[in-house]
């Protein structure tokens, strides 16, 4: 049953992506509507991922230093 649900989500995702590409090339109105919904859902999913990530533990809040080689701060 779970496999069926995952296949359904995969089909909807691929179909939404096809509609986004088709709408960017000037498809019919229903394709543009499906593309708009797909892009909106994508924004919601990205936004919820960010809020979940930011609510996690932060190294700087724990007193750790963030000055390692991958921290993004250049001291040239």
């Amino acid at each position: 049953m779970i496999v069926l649900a995952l296949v359904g989500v995969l089909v909807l995702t691929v179909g939404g992506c096809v509609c986004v590409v088709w709408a960017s090339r000037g498809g019919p109105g229903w394709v543009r509507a499906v593309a708009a919904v797909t892009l909106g859902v994508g924004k919601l999913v990205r936004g919820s991922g960010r809020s979940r990530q930011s609510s996690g533990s932060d190294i700087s809040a724990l007193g750790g230093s963030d000055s390692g080689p991958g921290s993004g701060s250049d001291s040239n």
Side-chain angles (χ1 to χ4, degrees):
M1 186 67 177
I2 288 186
V3 172
L4 214 68
L6 289 175
V7 167
V9 169
L10 180 65
V11 166
L12 287 173
T13 304
V14 171
C17 292
V18 168
C19 285
V20 168
V21 172
W22 190 6
S24 71
R25 296 174 183 228
W30 67 269
V31 171
R32 289 186 217 135
V34 172
V37 169
T38 302
L39 293 173
V41 169
K43 278 187 177 182
L44 287 175
V45 169
R46 280 192 309 260
S48 70
R50 281 193 199 120
S51 66
R52 210 174 333 153
Q53 236 177 10
S54 65
S55 67
S57 63
D58 187 38
I59 291 177
S60 62
L62 297 174
S65 72
D66 219 9
S67 61
S71 67
S73 61
D74 293 331
S75 58
N76 288 343

